[in-house]
Amino acid sequence: MLFNKKDLEEPHRQHQVVPRKGAAPRHGRWTYWEKFDYFAVFWGIFVIGSTGMMLCFPNCSRASCPAGSSTSPPIIHSDEALLAVGFIFTVHFFNTHLRPEKFPMDIVVFTGRMDLDEFKRDKPAEYEALVQSGELEAYLVDPYPPIVIRTIRAFAWTALAIGFSVVVWIIYAMLFAYR
């Protein structure tokens, strides 16, 4: 789950696939964009949390911060909140909803299961490791009934519509209402 050298090389290799200049990277358990998506949350928690505490306890923060920094926490706090929402509804949305092979939503988050063909395509390095170790059969399960998949897809379309609305509201707020 931690970043490594391979994660620095994969984006470059991924972008060479589009113009057909190279082979696609062979992702393992976590892709570089999933790692970035997960670790971005921790930066936001630190910034939102520290500035939120400064706003909650202004006397303590004034005593421990340099003079003139009392106006910074509200600005940093609100900008980080806007950045977090913008990140979730753009970068995260693309990674989990708008990629053609996942549209309208990657249902693995709800089911905990991935179709075998999808597993071979999305996580080829992990698939090959499980095949070589002989452990793949231990992870195979029966697929969900079609009604479960349809219900999850209906939820996905609803969430996608709400998410796009939020992106439109953010853009509107940035252009016309955020002063």
Side-chain angles (χ1 to χ4, degrees), residues 53-89:
M53 293 301 285
M54 293 173 87
L55 291 171
C56 199
F57 303 105
N59 293 334
C60 295
S61 64
R62 280 191 203 111
S64 61
C65 291
S69 64
S70 61
T71 57
S72 299
I75 295 167
I76 295 170
H77 192 78
S78 64
D79 285 355
E80 177 61 27
L82 189 61
L83 178 67
V85 171
F87 178 87
I88 289 167
F89 288 109

Side-chain angles (χ1 to χ4, degrees), residues 136-158:
L136 180 64
E137 284 73 28
Y139 291 97
L140 297 177
V141 294
D142 293 331
Y144 277 108
I147 186 68
V148 173
I149 302 301
R150 282 195 303 273
T151 303
I152 292 170
R153 295 240 182 247
F155 172 78
W157 280 105
T158 304

Side-chain angles (χ1 to χ4, degrees), residues 138-179:
Y139 291 97
L140 297 177
V141 294
D142 293 331
Y144 277 108
I147 186 68
V148 173
I149 302 301
R150 282 195 303 273
T151 303
I152 292 170
R153 295 240 182 247
F155 172 78
W157 280 105
T158 304
L160 192 62
I162 291 169
F164 273 125
S165 299
V166 170
V167 170
V168 169
W169 297 335
I170 289 171
I171 292 169
Y172 176 82
M174 290 180 72
L175 294 176
F176 303 110
Y178 189 64
R179 300 181 199 276

